[in-house]
Amino acid sequence: MNTSKLDQLKIEREPESESRSSRGWWPIAVVLLAAGVGFWFYLKPAAAPEVRTVAAREISSQAANTVLNASGYVTARRQATVSSKFTGKVKDVLIEEGMQVEEGQVLARLDDSNLATSYALAEAQLQSAKTALEETRALLVEARSNYKRTLNLVERGLSSEAEMDRARAQADSLAAQLDRKRADVTVAEKQLDVYRQELDDTIIRAPFAGVVVAKNAQPGEMISPISAGGGFTRTGIGTIVDMSSLEIEIDVNEAYINRVEPGQKVVATLDAYPDWAIPSHVIAIIPTADRQKATVEVRVGFDELDPRILPDMGVKVAFQEAGGAVAKGSAGVVIPQTAIIEGDGRQYVLLVADQTVERRAISAAGERGKDILVTSGLSGGEKVIINPPGGLKNGDRVKETSG
């Protein structure tokens, strides 16, 4: 019984040859695994290099011929805030914003009651002066006749020379009075003309044909040609703009004013209508510079006016090559100069399509700052590699990042 229990506690060992054979396979397995991993790394394809790309940008012939871009505002060469010649109360206002007016058209009327009374008084004074003139003229005729009779009596010895002297003095006195009465009539006529002009000045008329852009006064308000009475006195009835005098004022940096000359072609684009290219031209370069802004003012005129062009609109202008016409259509595409590769006497670029490199020959027309104008070989929107790494060739796989 004790012997059987002791036998159960005995550890049975495997044969020594079998144990040693099992342990001998482990080094071989490790070597085979290491060789497999190395072979996989050897056959694994190299990672695609990263490249920076930009899209070729198509530009028009107009943009290609542009030598300078600037911005300014539409202004009116003829513009006036119409006022009165004297201070008075507004009686009628006959204008509204947007109204088209002709030269001489009545815009407003001032209260003329006091002037009308003065005018009537001047008319009466003129009539009185004319009546006094006729009276003096009649007395002069009588005095001259009396002088002639007295002179005849003196010659016949029937009257004294004293009577003759008195008759002559009376005639001369009336003649002088007649001259004064004529002068009085002239003065009265001039006075009447003054009041007539003042009455006419109560009617405010348009100085030129144009469009009313502002209505500044209402009936019952006081108006004056100068600022007076604080905010209770208006200085104008309204503002009129001559739409035929619209032009563009531009402040050009004095460092680039050498690119501008009178008569030069310009393409203007209103901020309100960015797709509308307006043919224009340089009218004049103002011969002075603003020392604070370091700019020179340039006046640009529209080749043809349009109702859509309004005063004070913002506008961008492109000055074209001097002496050239405004070109239309496509001129090519623009890419960075760093995308160009020189080789075999030609110029190339590397394109990326579906993560694959394509080498393509191009023709360049000229530099535009840091860019270059390509006239053939590329189309707008194609992606070109900038600063391409060495060794890239057709068919290479790359990882694309935007420039």
Side-chain angles (χ1 to χ4, degrees), residues 288-362:
T288 185
D290 187 323
R291 66 170 63 182
Q292 295 181 345
K293 298 189 295 183
T295 58
V296 177
E297 183 178 333
V298 177
R299 292 174 53 207
V300 173
F302 298 101
D303 289 352
E304 186 175 348
L305 292 173
D306 189 278
R308 291 174 289 179
I309 304 173
L310 302 176
D312 296 328
M313 273 186 165
V315 60
K316 294 179 176 60
V317 297
F319 294 90
Q320 304 298 291
E321 290 183 357
V326 177
K328 297 181 180 179
S330 176
V333 296
V334 173
I335 60 174
Q337 294 187 36
T338 55
I340 303 297
I341 300 174
E342 303 282 348
D344 301 329
R346 299 195 64 181
Q347 293 179 318
Y348 300 86
V349 293
L350 297 180
L351 306 179
V352 175
D354 297 329
Q355 305 297 318
T356 304
V357 175
E358 177 188 351
R359 179 184 172 99
R360 186 180 298 177
I362 62 167

Side-chain angles (χ1 to χ4, degrees), residues 223-245:
I223 187 173
S224 175
I226 59 175
S227 297
F232 300 100
T233 302
R234 303 290 185 179
T235 55
I237 291 292
T239 301
I240 299 176
V241 172
D242 182 1
M243 291 300 184
S244 65
S245 69

Side-chain angles (χ1 to χ4, degrees), residues 49-328:
E50 289 189 356
V51 293
R52 295 173 58 199
T53 63
V54 296
R57 179 167 50 90
E58 186 175 4
I59 63 171
S60 65
S61 297
Q62 168 190 311
N65 293 334
T66 299
V67 297
L68 178 65
N69 290 295
S71 60
Y73 294 92
V74 178
T75 61
R77 195 67 176 170
R78 293 183 71 192
Q79 176 175 316
T81 298
V82 185
S83 185
S84 62
K85 292 183 179 180
F86 56 87
T87 302
K89 185 171 71 174
V90 179
K91 183 179 179 181
D92 298 308
V93 179
L94 307 176
I95 59 173
E96 294 293 341
E97 290 88 346
M99 179 183 294
Q100 183 82 32
V101 297
E102 300 297 330
E103 181 177 356
Q105 181 176 333
V106 177
L107 307 180
R109 293 186 178 90
L110 303 183
D111 183 12
D112 61 355
S113 55
N114 293 339
L115 288 174
T117 301
S118 299
Y119 182 80
L121 176 60
E123 278 188 318
Q125 290 174 339
L126 175 59
Q127 187 61 39
S128 175
K130 288 181 177 180
T131 301
L133 175 63
E134 293 302 323
E135 179 185 4
T136 303
R137 183 179 287 114
L139 292 174
L140 178 59
V141 171
E142 180 185 4
R144 284 175 176 174
S145 298
N146 186 42
Y147 170 69
K148 289 181 180 179
R149 287 193 300 270
T150 304
L151 180 60
N152 187 33
L153 291 175
V154 170
E155 290 177 350
R156 294 168 58 188
L158 299 176
S159 179
S160 64
E161 291 186 2
E163 291 293 334
M164 183 187 66
D165 291 341
R166 280 194 296 272
R168 183 172 57 220
Q170 182 68 20
D172 292 344
S173 175
L174 289 171
Q177 291 182 35
L178 184 65
D179 291 338
R180 183 170 61 83
K181 297 297 183 182
R182 289 195 183 100
D184 289 343
V185 170
T186 301
V187 170
E189 290 175 343
K190 296 297 183 183
Q191 186 65 42
L192 188 64
D193 290 341
V194 170
Y195 286 116
R196 183 183 293 112
Q197 182 62 52
E198 290 182 354
L199 275 175
D200 187 69
D201 290 341
T202 62
I203 303 174
I204 302 175
R205 296 179 171 86
F208 50 81
V211 175
V212 178
V213 297
K215 179 182 178 181
N216 302 326
Q218 297 291 343
E221 292 184 315
M222 296 298 293
I223 187 173
S224 175
I226 59 175
S227 297
F232 300 100
T233 302
R234 303 290 185 179
T235 55
I237 291 292
T239 301
I240 299 176
V241 172
D242 182 1
M243 291 300 184
S244 65
S245 69
L246 294 181
E247 60 183 41
I248 305 171
E249 285 187 2
I250 306 164
D251 288 334
V252 176
N253 190 302
E254 63 181 23
Y256 304 112
I257 196 63
N258 60 334
R259 304 182 187 181
V260 182
E261 64 181 41
Q264 184 175 356
K265 296 295 183 181
V266 175
V267 176
T269 305
L270 297 173
D271 293 347
Y273 303 98
D275 297 328
W276 179 28
I278 309 173
S280 307
H281 61 279
V282 176
I283 298 175
I285 302 172
I286 307 304
T288 185
D290 187 323
R291 66 170 63 182
Q292 295 181 345
K293 298 189 295 183
T295 58
V296 177
E297 183 178 333
V298 177
R299 292 174 53 207
V300 173
F302 298 101
D303 289 352
E304 186 175 348
L305 292 173
D306 189 278
R308 291 174 289 179
I309 304 173
L310 302 176
D312 296 328
M313 273 186 165
V315 60
K316 294 179 176 60
V317 297
F319 294 90
Q320 304 298 291
E321 290 183 357
V326 177
K328 297 181 180 179

